[in-house]
Amino acid sequence: MNNQTYSYAGMFTTALRWVAGWTYFSAFWRRLILENKLNPDEAGYIGEKFNHFLPNALGIKPIIEHLVSNPESLWWAMISFTIIEGIVGLLFILGVFTRLMSIGVFSLALGILLGSGWLGTTCLDEWQIGVLGVASGFTIFLSGGGKYSFDEYFIRKNKSFASTKWFQFLGSGMLPLTEKVLNQTVLVGAIFIFGLTLFTNQYFHGGVYGTLHNLSVRPHVSISNAKIQNDTLSFIVFRDEGADVYGSFLIGIKLMDENGNTVFEQTQTQLSQLTSAHIKNEYVAKVKPGKHSLILPLGAKASLNFKETIFTTLEGKYTLELLDISGVKWQEKITVIKN
């Protein structure tokens, strides 16, 4: 193949480059130009949305957990990520160092895929964005920017760019690879990306075989480390499933004995009036009292503590039950042994 062939190939993928570039540049545009979504003290803070990725992220969960547990590091990460998205997206649209930017698109899309590929209430939204971004980055790396790119303009202005290896790898024009190596690169890359697509589709949604599942539809709250010590009932709640656009609304907490008798209860009104003395949050997404309930955003994890003299008299086996406004209940067993 020659430079003209690559110029046509890049020209044919212009729409793909422009659209894929805008999906990343638009993130920068939304967060800094249309609204300020990088302020931790305002609603819509991107760091809290990033926290939503945590419960079912693939492979990068420790990184996400570290960031959402450290607000300052998270803020710097969100700033850096937004600037990178803006630069990569804009230069990709313009076709400036197209192949280098295509690696950026590939990497950003892979991060989205692994972090949030499980999200999507009505469709496999984030998964589709991720896999299509990965495929787009790989395709544009092969084709380069083509006729409607600044790379092509640079080549016309300086003919030596067309045969300069560093520009061929980072910009556009003919890739300095033999036909055999190029064929192998295309085939291996396509097989890898298609395999990644099938694997993540199955992992996140059961979309290849077996039973389909969508973890974004119904809220789920896991309960752990439930115990009664002296006059205190404490337990950890973690909202690990459900839609990211609204929380789980707890309207009741009960502690019941083996006969089903309620020995301790927090009503809807009481839960809406809890204070920081009752709630210790671990992440940026915070469990907090709302107007009519206790709100648990997706990805939020907190320790709940209740002090009552009744707890000092308890002994035996009990059941802790949380009630969501939807009617869903979550339970955990507690055994109290007197010293």
Side-chain angles (χ1 to χ4, degrees):
M1 291 195 291
N2 54 34
N3 279 309
Q4 186 177 18
T5 303
Y6 273 92
S7 181
Y8 278 120
M11 182 179 70
F12 294 152
T13 57
T14 299
L16 179 62
R17 175 166 56 83
W18 286 358
V19 171
W22 176 253
T23 61
Y24 294 98
F25 180 75
S26 66
F28 167 87
W29 190 257
R30 291 193 313 272
R31 293 174 202 158
L32 284 180
I33 307 302
L34 301 182
E35 291 184 48
N36 183 3
K37 294 191 175 184
L38 292 171
N39 187 341
D41 298 322
E42 291 187 8
Y45 172 48
I46 188 63
E48 186 168 342
K49 294 185 179 296
F50 184 69
N51 198 155
H52 296 162
F53 298 174
L54 176 63
N56 298 290
L58 173 60
I60 60 173
K61 186 181 292 187
I63 298 173
I64 297 175
E65 184 167 21
H66 170 75
L67 290 174
V68 299
S69 300
N70 297 274
E72 186 174 346
S73 297
L74 175 64
W75 184 80
W76 280 110
M78 294 300 97
I79 288 286
S80 302
F81 192 71
T82 299
I83 292 172
I84 290 170
E85 283 186 305
I87 293 172
V88 168
L90 180 61
L91 295 186
F92 200 59
I93 292 171
L94 297 176
V96 178
F97 291 111
T98 305
R99 289 195 170 108
L100 178 60
M101 294 305 111
S102 72
I103 295 173
V105 167
F106 183 98
S107 302
L108 290 169
L110 185 62
I112 291 171
L113 175 62
L114 298 180
S116 62
W118 66 281
L119 289 169
T121 53
T122 59
C123 192
L124 311 186
D125 307 326
E126 300 295 336
W127 175 79
Q128 290 177 336
I129 293 171
V131 294
L132 290 174
V134 168
S136 297
F138 178 69
T139 300
I140 302 298
F141 179 85
L142 296 172
S143 71
K147 183 176 182 179
Y148 304 112
S149 70
F150 273 88
D151 283 346
E152 191 83 359
Y153 173 78
F154 297 150
I155 291 174
R156 289 200 303 269
K157 286 294 183 179
N158 189 337
K159 299 295 184 182
S160 66
F161 276 10
S163 57
T164 304
K165 282 192 175 183
W166 69 264
F167 188 81
Q168 290 173 324
F169 275 119
L170 302 181
S172 296
M174 185 173 66
L175 276 169
L177 301 173
T178 65
E179 184 174 350
K180 180 180 179 181
V181 172
L182 185 61
N183 291 340
Q184 291 173 340
T185 301
V186 172
L187 181 60
V188 171
I191 290 173
F192 170 76
I193 293 171
F194 187 57
L196 179 68
T197 299
L198 296 181
F199 170 71
T200 52
N201 191 205
Q202 176 62 30
Y203 181 86
F204 289 129
H205 305 288
V208 181
Y209 62 86
T211 304
L212 283 168
H213 58 267
N214 189 340
L215 302 180
S216 295
V217 175
R218 297 179 183 84
H220 180 268
V221 175
S222 64
I223 308 169
S224 62
N225 203 29
K227 58 187 177 182
I228 295 174
Q229 290 184 330
N230 301 321
D231 63 347
T232 302
L233 165 66
S234 63
F235 55 94
I236 295 173
V237 291
F238 179 38
R239 166 87 186 286
D240 54 7
E241 290 182 22
D244 57 332
V245 292
Y246 57 84
S248 166
F249 302 97
L250 288 187
I251 60 172
I253 294 178
K254 284 184 180 181
L255 183 69
M256 298 173 289
D257 62 20
E258 291 183 281
N259 297 318
N261 299 313
T262 300
V263 297
F264 171 76
E265 183 175 14
Q266 289 283 290
T267 65
Q268 182 174 350
T269 301
Q270 290 171 313
L271 291 173
S272 69
Q273 297 172 354
L274 294 183
T275 67
S276 58
H278 300 94
I279 308 169
K280 183 180 179 182
N281 283 290
E282 296 191 20
Y283 303 144
V284 171
K286 299 185 183 302
V287 174
K288 56 188 176 182
K291 189 174 182 180
H292 302 293
S293 64
L294 185 65
I295 304 173
L296 278 67
L298 182 62
K301 186 176 184 179
S303 173
L304 300 184
N305 303 278
F306 300 94
K307 284 191 175 185
E308 297 286 345
T309 54
I310 184 66
F311 298 135
T312 62
T313 66
L314 301 183
E315 185 175 10
K317 296 182 178 180
Y318 296 86
T319 300
L320 175 65
E321 180 180 274
L322 309 185
L323 174 62
D324 185 75
I325 197 169
S326 65
V328 176
K329 298 176 180 178
W330 303 288
Q331 295 183 336
E332 182 73 4
K333 300 294 183 181
I334 301 177
T335 300
V336 182
I337 302 175
K338 289 292 185 180
N339 293 328

